[in-house]
Amino acid sequence: MNDSTGGRTGRRLTAGALLGGGVVYGVANAFYWVMFPDDVAETAGNVAVAAGNLGAWRVETILFALAHLLLLPATLGLAATLHRGKPVAATIGGAMALLGLYFSTVHLWQYNAFFGALAGGGVAADAARPVTTAIDGDPFVMASFAVWLLGWLVGLLVLAFGAWRARLVALWVPLLLTAGQVLDLVGTGVPVKLTVSVLMVAGFVGLAVGVARWRGVEAPAGTATPATAAA
């Protein structure tokens, strides 16, 4: 299969976005849990948390926003690359992961930016509680939250295992991403969340290296290439 300049450039851009997005995602996650190690008992408590260190809260929000900005094109590029060899995995995984990232971005601004704005304006958690209670009980908000979690979890893993099946990456790449995603859902505490960051960064580095080195789908055995057919 001929490797066009456009294809090489696209893979390099995808690899760069995967690497940058994965690293920033891991840094943002680690930064958040180091700066804000205590889980809040209720959503309104985020106002008090943000007010306690508003500068760090703003930095964390910007880091996650940058991670999303990189991971959206990275996911699209990974799905496009994988589509040549594993179209089903690319379509399902890409669609779910992109939906998850989209609603994760909505959540980022709906919650992170919202609580930062309230904290910056001097609004107390008690005053914000009726609003956060209404938001948490809204069916669309809950549905978007579920799409974010399931879409990003399942979509990324479908893409990662599809990349392994397409011989794009070694098996350790999807296994690390699986461990990171599952641990992030079920684990609590700063050491666990820092471990999540390390696992996710390592997995994304593996994906980036695999995409950068990939040379396309190998021709099936016995199939003549244009060069051999003309010989």
Side-chain angles (χ1 to χ4, degrees), residues 62-208:
I62 292 172
L63 285 173
F64 271 115
L66 179 59
H68 284 74
L69 192 64
L70 291 168
L71 288 175
L72 280 165
T75 302
L76 184 61
L78 176 59
T81 301
L82 186 58
H83 192 272
R84 304 174 188 178
K86 298 293 179 180
V88 175
T91 301
I92 295 175
M96 293 189 70
L98 287 170
L99 274 174
L101 281 171
Y102 171 79
F103 281 104
S104 180
T105 305
V106 172
H107 172 82
L108 177 70
W109 293 112
Q110 185 179 29
Y111 279 80
N112 289 53
F114 174 66
F115 292 131
L118 292 179
V123 177
D126 288 340
R129 188 170 291 109
V131 177
T132 58
T133 300
I135 290 175
D136 289 343
D138 184 79
F140 179 78
V141 173
M142 297 305 296
S144 65
F145 190 77
V147 172
W148 161 35
L149 291 179
L150 291 177
W152 179 234
L153 170 67
V154 178
L156 178 61
L157 297 186
V158 169
L159 286 175
F161 278 100
W164 167 62
R165 292 289 296 166
R167 300 181 180 179
L168 196 70
V169 298
L171 180 59
W172 63 265
V173 173
L175 290 181
L176 285 185
L177 290 172
T178 300
Q181 291 277 56
V182 173
L183 194 60
D184 195 23
L185 282 178
V186 303
T188 58
V190 176
V192 172
K193 296 300 183 179
L194 292 181
T195 302
V196 169
S197 290
V198 172
L199 291 172
M200 296 301 290
V201 169
F204 274 106
V205 169
L207 284 176

